[in-house]
Amino acid sequence: MLKEKINKIEFIDLQAQRLSVSNLISEAIEGVLAHGGYIFGPEVKKLEEELQAYTQAEDAITCSNGTDALRLLLLAYNIGPGDAVFVPTFTFASTAEVIAQANATPVFVDICPHTFNMDIASLEEAYAKLDKNLKPKGIIAVDLFGLPADYSKLNDFAESHQLWLIADAAQSFGGSINGKRVGTLAASTTTSFFPSKPLACYGDGGAIFTNDKELGELIRSLRNHGCGKHRYDHIHIGLNSRLDTIQAAILLEKLKIFPAELKRRQEIANRYANALKEVVQIPIPAKDVHHAWGLYTIACHPQQREDLINTLQAKGIPSNVYYRKPLHLQPAYQHFPRAGAQLKNAELACYKVLSLPMHPYLLDDQVDFICEQVINALS
Ligand SMILES: *Cc1c(COP(=O)(O)O)cnc(C)c1O
């Protein structure tokens, strides 16, 4: 029974991870229960130091979740009515949600059909066409599925148009370009520690990375009700967005095994690629780009996808579609401006993409079995 459970293919296997670190996480949680510093306990500061060291960003600030990480940066950048922020339309709602909630305007941009990340040509189009009543302020790029976006082009564009650039790296913690880790690829970066993300806690959590120490200090104040030096000294209008000490303690343990997990994700991605490259569109990162493999997402013919999902399901293989609808076609977001009447690459991707199981505890045999079933279903 236990063996069966362990060998069952999970989309993301958090139980296998927990078993692999045996009681280290329980001990870490017990440690917090013993000292009782549930808010801003010593583990929070320690985690921020470790995250800073891992990413090599100048500063790392934890917060409640990946959405708040974005929200805190928009607060720091003082975004409001009449301000426009460019975002890819093929992303999770958070990326645009925080802009709309700041009463600013998200402007939707198309993606590249192979990387699924923001297309610079479409960004240029959206910028050129922007309503004269809106003031372009910034860009939030997304590292979809774990693949860092094209930051050399994005940084150039941002700089030449005097925009700020945020990297929404909720899916790409651990990725890098030319040896520069996610967290340092844009002026500021956000990530999420939601349970399904590459580095995950047992609940909600998030972080912000920046090379600007002053911005870091501002975020530290904003995440804790805009406090100054003293707890009841309020120098900004902030919010409550602290990472719980227990989650920090869990993340400290998970960060220790993270490099080995990342390596295993890469091996699994290579195995998928070798078996599937002739059959479907597979993710192929550019030469110096290290994919974090948060998700392994293939693209197939739209008419084949539902059959493929059903065939896999019949064989006990879970799969998921991220995302079935781009944000510019969602009821809550369709009235916001976009680069063109249609954002064709994103619209088409929604009918083609399928994410296969991806986690560091997949066995080679399981990956081979999944590939066999994909090939069978499509031939
Ligand atoms: C998960 C995710 C977020 C939000 O993170 P939460 O921690 O769930 O708030 C933001 N952007 C993207 C691209 C995500 O995948």
Side-chain angles (χ1 to χ4, degrees):
M1 187 64 196
L2 185 64
K3 188 159 183 289
E4 207 170 282
K5 180 142 179 41
I6 290 169
N7 289 335
K8 186 166 171 281
I9 297 176
E10 301 284 353
F11 189 72
I12 290 170
D13 200 340
L14 296 173
Q15 289 308 335
Q17 185 194 47
R18 202 167 70 82
L19 292 175
S20 85
V21 291
S22 64
N23 43 11
L24 290 176
I25 288 181
S26 310
E27 281 168 20
I29 295 172
E30 285 292 334
V32 178
L33 297 180
H35 69 57
Y38 302 120
I39 301 292
F40 285 145
E43 287 83 356
V44 175
K45 184 150 185 292
K46 176 101 191 300
L47 176 66
E48 290 182 346
E49 288 165 3
E50 301 272 324
L51 290 172
Q52 184 276 323
Y54 181 84
T55 57
Q56 291 292 302
E58 286 289 321
D59 204 357
I61 308 101
T62 57
C63 63
S64 291
N65 55 68
T67 309
D68 271 6
L70 290 165
R71 196 190 317 278
L72 285 161
L73 278 173
L74 295 189
L75 265 176
Y77 290 151
N78 203 15
I79 287 305
D83 293 338
V85 180
F86 302 93
V87 284
T89 184
F90 195 50
T91 178
F92 184 58
S94 292
T95 320
E97 185 179 52
V98 288
I99 303 165
Q101 269 166 358
N103 294 312
T105 303
V107 180
F108 293 112
V109 174
D110 206 359
I111 54 160
C112 300
H114 287 270
T115 64
F116 303 124
N117 284 331
M118 193 187 262
D119 175 33
I120 307 291
S122 178
L123 173 63
E124 280 166 0
E125 209 175 324
Y127 184 91
K129 278 194 191 153
L130 193 68
D131 186 323
K132 295 293 165 273
N133 296 320
L134 292 172
K135 224 172 152 324
K137 284 293 178 75
I139 304 165
I140 305 181
V142 177
D143 301 343
L144 206 70
F145 307 137
L147 178 69
D150 189 347
Y151 286 105
S152 76
K153 285 193 188 140
L154 285 165
N155 277 311
D156 282 351
F157 186 91
E159 210 169 297
S160 60
H161 296 85
Q162 291 174 316
L163 304 170
W164 43 253
L165 173 64
I166 297 174
D168 178 351
Q171 303 180 7
S172 65
F173 186 81
S176 62
I177 298 180
N178 258 325
K180 276 186 75 177
R181 289 234 164 100
V182 161
T184 62
L185 300 172
S188 54
T189 301
T190 62
T191 200
S192 164
F193 304 126
F194 183 83
S196 63
K197 312 284 180 174
L199 176 66
C201 60
Y202 289 158
D204 280 308
I208 295 138
F209 304 93
T210 177
N211 284 339
D212 180 344
K213 287 264 191 195
E214 226 171 283
L215 178 67
E217 282 319 301
L218 176 55
I219 301 281
R220 275 203 171 77
S221 167
L222 290 172
R223 73 165 173 190
N224 190 30
H225 303 292
C227 283
K229 289 223 152 54
H230 186 273
R231 189 192 291 182
Y232 299 109
D233 176 23
H234 301 284
I235 54 174
H236 304 289
I237 298 172
L239 47 107
N240 175 357
S241 185
R242 301 170 296 233
L243 181 72
D244 292 349
T245 309
I246 286 184
Q247 298 300 348
I250 292 164
L251 284 164
L252 279 168
E253 290 307 315
K254 296 237 209 158
L255 193 55
K256 289 181 195 157
I257 57 168
F258 186 71
E261 287 192 340
L262 204 58
K263 195 161 154 272
R264 180 62 190 150
R265 283 179 192 270
Q266 182 62 54
E267 287 170 8
I268 293 164
N270 293 346
R271 209 168 179 92
Y272 270 136
N274 277 332
L276 298 178
K277 60 176 184 269
E278 312 288 343
V279 191
V280 288
Q281 178 186 316
I282 56 159
I284 305 174
K287 208 163 139 273
D288 299 316
V289 178
H290 194 110
H291 201 306
W293 302 114
L295 291 163
Y296 193 86
T297 305
I298 59 170
C300 63
H301 197 282
Q303 281 165 351
Q304 292 180 310
R305 188 175 68 182
E306 296 313 306
D307 275 349
L308 178 55
I309 293 170
N310 293 335
T311 308
L312 293 178
Q313 193 179 25
K315 296 284 177 182
I317 301 167
S319 62
N320 278 309
V321 175
Y322 303 99
Y323 299 93
R324 283 190 185 268
K325 214 183 220 189
L327 290 183
H328 72 279
L329 299 181
Q330 297 276 1
Y333 294 96
Q334 62 193 2
H335 62 289
F336 288 117
R338 50 179 96 156
Q342 288 184 301
L343 303 178
K344 281 206 177 114
N345 294 337
E347 287 168 27
L348 191 56
C350 289
Y351 290 100
K352 293 169 78 170
V353 291
L354 186 66
S355 300
L356 300 176
M358 173 50 96
H359 62 78
Y361 302 90
L362 271 175
L363 307 172
D364 285 351
D365 286 350
Q366 292 179 319
V367 179
D368 294 347
F369 178 69
I370 296 164
C371 293
E372 253 169 59
Q373 300 312 317
V374 172
I375 292 165
N376 283 348
L378 295 179
S379 56

